[in-house]
Amino acid sequence: MTFSIQGLAVARGIAIGRAVLVASSSVNVAHYFIEAGQIDAEIDRLRLGRNAVVDEIHRLQASIAHMSPKDTPHELAALLDVHLMLLQDEELISGVKHWITNRLYNAEWALTTQLEIIARQFDEMEDEYLRERKADMEQITDRILRAMQGQPSPVIPPVLARSARKAQQQDRLQGDMQDVPLVLVAHDLSPSDMLQFKQSLFAGFVTDVGGKTSHTAIVARSMDIPAVVGARLSSHLVRQDDWVIIDGDAGVVIVDPSPIILDEYGFKQRQGELERSRLSRIRNTPAISMDAQKVELLANIEMPEDTAAALAVGAVGVGLFRSEFLFMGRQGKLPDEEEQFQAYKRAVEGMKGLPVTIRTVDIGADKPLGDGREDAAHLNPALGLRAIRWSLADPSMFLTQLRAILRASAYGKVKLLIPMLAHAHEIRQTVALLAQARAELDAKGIHYGPLQLGAMIEIPAAALMLKVFLKYFDFLSIGTNDLIQYTLAIDRADESVAHLYDPLHPAVLRLVADTIAECNAQGKGVSVCGEMAGDISLTRLLLGLGLRSFSMHPAQILAVKQEILLANTRELQAWAQTVLAHDEPALLLNAA
Ligand code: PEP
Ligand code: MG
């Protein structure tokens, strides 16, 4: 039966494919593809995990055998028997092997996927006793997952992931899903999960939770595949292998579509492809408005390898390299100076002489390190130890990153960008640590290049003390994602308040406008690198406010360029002032 689920549109386009469910578990589970050659080893890992749990239960049984009956509820012995029986369950074991062998899921992912399927069967059972066995199944799955956690890190570095992808492409042909596009359906995905999936073959994705500018949505956008977030309950309503349409323009997910609906969306999909190929014709056209204003279109990237996508759409530099993605999902083992240096150098060389703006780590809030330690103790992680606060709290880690970036600056034009500054003393500390990093390299005779220093304006306090910022910094970059979050007190990752997350709120526009105007007046560089920069419905307004540098995901660059080519900034200037003065700017913008 066809039904649809409404969510938030985060990445444009239509995807049609079979659902791959990423089940949630109380244990933190990594999701990644293995290579075909790893199937046996992966099944072995699972077997070892299961055996460890069997041993654990046997030990428990032995210990309660020596206890007096009053100390041991008789249900406990019975429960352990049930758990032992479930551990031998053929459906669980053969199902997990199926997902590992035919889909190349890592063992943890395979296990949680199969659990989800079995849990649904339990839910449908009439017999209450049997229905309650679902909880037991969940418990033993969690036990196995925990037993497996002592295994080596599941993170696959991007290079390995690429070869895994090739292997996948070949091996999938032998699997059960030949040539069928796959779409990912999950309750939630961490940004580092998304990064793993970035290397894979998914045609689209849907999550139950998340806001339009959550970092998961941002990575999805960079993958340039249709995506919908905040589609509540989708991971419960959609079943493994269901046919699903993801309409990333309307923010709708259609499950089990009828042939007529499939035809209609197939048509829309082809139209979208045509539009893309039309846009690709302006790839090499300079971004100059009708009244001859030159505009700089830069790319936001997460990994050095993303520079290829930036160049492919004619970006004239990288305006934001979110370096924290190098630090995430590594079970707390941070990249050392050499590893970071190599990554930054790859990005710099990848841009072939064009400037690369590297932002120091912005770990925290919805970008946890993935070492299982963070946030549990903090009620408001977005207001906590995040970004520059995290870096200043660990100067040795920060100095390591600064040295690595300085060293990379010997290989091309590098700009250094600092996130989340709000206090003058944070600025002074940062500047001092940068001087120290230079001195440390000097002492070792290590070469580095010149570096422009910039700050993100993403906390209202920063936007309200621009003069202080401009004393220290060569350029500013407006992080509208956080600026909106902190100005309006709206969690950017929370879909339940997504309707209040408003880039056009007069207070937000005032802070953006003032920052642009002050930088322009002082002859300092200013760009917007939040999601507003890539939203074509806002291009004309930002041009009218005087913005001439936009940084966004490569996938959005050509559409924004088209807007610029058709714009007359002189006319837009007066109109933008009217929008700024309006109580509800959205009304004016929608009318334009
Ligand atoms: C922003 O806040 O707008 C920004 C670009 O940084 P991030 O999205 O990584 O927080
Ligand atoms: Mg930010």
Side-chain angles (χ1 to χ4, degrees):
M1 188 195 64
T2 304
F3 62 95
S4 63
I5 309 167
Q6 184 69 46
L8 302 166
V10 293
R12 305 192 56 157
I14 308 285
I16 304 174
R18 294 266 202 184
V20 171
L21 278 164
V22 175
S24 40
S25 154
S26 62
V27 182
N28 208 355
V29 172
H31 302 91
Y32 57 99
F33 289 109
I34 57 168
E35 292 193 60
Q38 294 174 297
I39 291 174
D40 289 343
E42 205 61 9
I43 292 177
D44 240 28
R45 234 163 46 77
L46 180 80
R47 193 174 47 77
L48 288 175
R50 191 185 59 154
N51 290 350
V53 177
V54 171
D55 289 349
E56 204 175 280
I57 295 178
H58 280 150
R59 272 198 305 278
L60 265 172
Q61 281 179 321
S63 68
I64 60 174
H66 297 112
M67 291 183 190
S68 74
K70 81 173 174 21
D71 294 333
T72 346
H74 72 276
E75 291 91 345
L76 180 59
L79 191 72
L80 292 178
D81 285 340
V82 171
H83 280 198
L84 273 182
M85 197 183 72
L86 291 175
L87 279 164
Q88 316 297 334
D89 183 88
E90 194 38 41
E91 194 181 354
L92 177 70
I93 297 161
S94 61
V96 177
K97 283 185 183 163
H98 163 82
W99 299 117
I100 296 177
T101 311
N102 293 321
R103 292 280 184 87
L104 300 175
Y105 291 1
N106 64 308
E108 291 87 345
W109 185 6
L111 186 58
T112 49
T113 300
Q114 189 58 19
L115 171 70
E116 191 86 5
I117 291 172
I118 296 176
R120 282 179 191 213
Q121 291 168 6
F122 277 121
D123 281 342
E124 282 162 13
M125 284 176 183
E126 303 265 311
D127 183 308
E128 196 180 334
Y129 171 81
L130 287 177
R131 248 196 343 259
E132 282 170 4
R133 299 288 62 79
K134 176 180 146 182
D136 295 316
M137 195 55 117
E138 286 169 349
Q139 281 172 14
I140 62 151
T141 306
D142 275 12
R143 275 173 179 261
I144 300 175
L145 289 171
R146 281 178 214 285
M148 286 167 67
Q149 264 180 353
Q151 301 294 317
S153 160
V155 172
I156 37 175
V159 179
L160 223 178
R162 292 238 147 100
S163 58
R165 177 183 167 159
K166 274 202 216 106
Q168 241 175 288
Q169 278 164 335
Q170 285 152 12
D171 292 333
R172 195 176 289 285
L173 298 177
Q174 298 153 18
D176 61 347
M177 295 292 289
Q178 297 183 16
D179 297 331
V180 177
L182 301 177
V183 299
L184 198 66
V185 181
H187 174 67
D188 194 10
L189 291 167
S190 70
S192 63
D193 262 346
M194 287 302 299
L195 215 56
Q196 301 275 359
F197 290 131
K198 196 165 171 171
Q199 321 293 338
S200 64
L201 298 167
F202 291 107
F205 91 91
V206 186
T207 58
D208 295 348
V209 299
K212 274 191 177 199
T213 62
S214 63
H215 284 94
T216 303
I218 289 173
V219 181
R221 218 166 280 137
S222 78
M223 289 161 73
D224 199 14
I225 57 171
V228 172
V229 301
R232 297 176 190 198
L233 291 180
S234 56
S235 70
H236 287 274
L237 298 173
V238 179
R239 290 166 184 246
Q240 198 77 28
D241 281 347
D242 270 351
W243 276 101
V244 171
I245 297 173
I246 299 175
D247 183 341
D249 300 315
V252 173
V253 182
I254 300 165
V255 186
D256 201 9
S258 66
I260 296 177
I261 295 179
L262 265 178
D263 271 359
E264 191 186 320
Y265 275 92
F267 177 73
K268 275 196 188 179
Q269 200 177 28
R270 287 190 294 281
Q271 293 288 100
E273 279 155 17
L274 264 176
E275 175 60 19
R276 272 167 189 256
S277 77
R278 259 198 298 272
L279 274 180
S280 67
R281 291 186 210 147
I282 57 169
R283 178 191 173 281
N284 295 319
T285 310
I288 298 178
S289 69
M290 302 243 283
D291 58 327
Q293 288 290 310
K294 202 162 175 268
V295 180
E296 184 181 49
L297 293 181
L298 305 164
N300 290 357
I301 64 170
E302 278 94 37
M303 282 293 178
E305 292 69 27
D306 296 339
T307 50
L311 288 181
V313 291
V316 296
V318 167
L320 175 64
F321 176 178
R322 289 184 163 97
S323 69
E324 56 274 13
F325 283 87
L326 300 172
F327 289 63
M328 282 156 47
R330 304 170 53 109
Q331 275 68 37
K333 191 185 166 298
L334 303 186
D336 62 17
E337 181 180 324
E338 186 58 26
E339 184 182 343
Q340 286 190 57
F341 161 63
Q342 291 298 341
Y344 305 141
K345 179 166 167 270
R346 275 204 309 284
V348 170
E349 290 179 339
M351 286 309 286
K352 304 188 188 325
L354 295 169
V356 176
T357 309
I358 303 174
R359 181 175 72 182
T360 57
V361 280
D362 183 359
I363 283 297
D366 72 334
K367 285 182 288 193
L369 264 187
D371 60 358
R373 276 181 298 152
E374 55 273 318
D375 291 346
H378 305 287
L379 285 178
N380 292 306
L383 304 181
L385 196 64
R386 198 193 142 180
I388 189 64
R389 302 168 183 181
W390 197 74
S391 298
L392 292 177
D394 187 349
S396 127
M397 185 276 302
F398 192 34
L399 281 166
T400 303
Q401 178 168 39
L402 293 175
R403 286 193 305 269
I405 297 174
L406 279 165
R407 285 171 60 191
S409 70
Y411 294 83
K413 289 189 197 122
V414 172
K415 294 164 119 185
L416 178 64
L417 182 59
I418 312 294
M420 288 272 295
L421 286 163
H423 301 268
H425 60 78
E426 287 173 329
I427 301 177
R428 283 199 306 275
Q429 259 178 291
T430 302
V431 170
L433 284 166
L434 182 59
Q436 185 179 334
R438 284 193 175 105
E440 286 171 4
L441 291 176
D442 287 338
K444 288 189 182 156
I446 297 174
H447 185 53
Y448 56 89
L451 199 68
Q452 274 196 36
L453 183 60
M456 302 268 304
I457 300 296
E458 49 186 350
I459 299 181
L464 293 170
M465 53 187 274
L466 293 167
K467 291 204 165 57
V468 178
F469 273 72
L470 290 174
K471 264 200 265 177
Y472 293 92
F473 293 102
D474 304 310
F475 69 97
L476 299 181
S477 188
I478 310 174
T480 49
N481 305 336
D482 279 316
L483 190 61
I484 300 167
Q485 155 163 276
Y486 296 127
T487 305
L488 302 180
I490 298 296
D491 184 340
R492 61 193 265 192
D494 183 349
E495 78 285 355
S496 66
V497 284
H499 60 292
L500 298 172
Y501 184 92
D502 181 11
L504 291 172
H505 189 289
V508 173
L509 288 186
R510 171 54 56 202
L511 296 174
V512 171
D514 288 355
T515 307
I516 297 170
E518 186 67 32
C519 287
N520 285 346
Q522 292 203 26
K524 298 264 178 149
V526 60
S527 69
V528 169
C529 64
E531 297 300 293
M532 276 179 84
D535 181 340
I536 51 171
S537 69
L538 302 175
T539 310
R540 288 153 32 89
L541 178 61
L542 291 172
L543 286 171
L545 293 177
L547 189 73
R548 297 294 179 265
S549 174
F550 295 62
S551 191
M552 68 201 79
H553 279 299
Q556 292 147 321
I557 284 186
L558 292 177
V560 170
K561 190 190 277 188
Q562 192 177 38
E563 291 291 307
I564 291 165
L565 296 178
L566 297 171
N568 183 326
T569 64
R570 221 170 309 131
E571 286 170 12
L572 290 174
Q573 207 178 341
W575 170 72
Q577 290 310 311
T578 326
V579 175
L580 257 190
H582 204 276
D583 289 353
E584 289 190 73
L587 297 178
L588 275 189
L589 225 74
N590 294 338

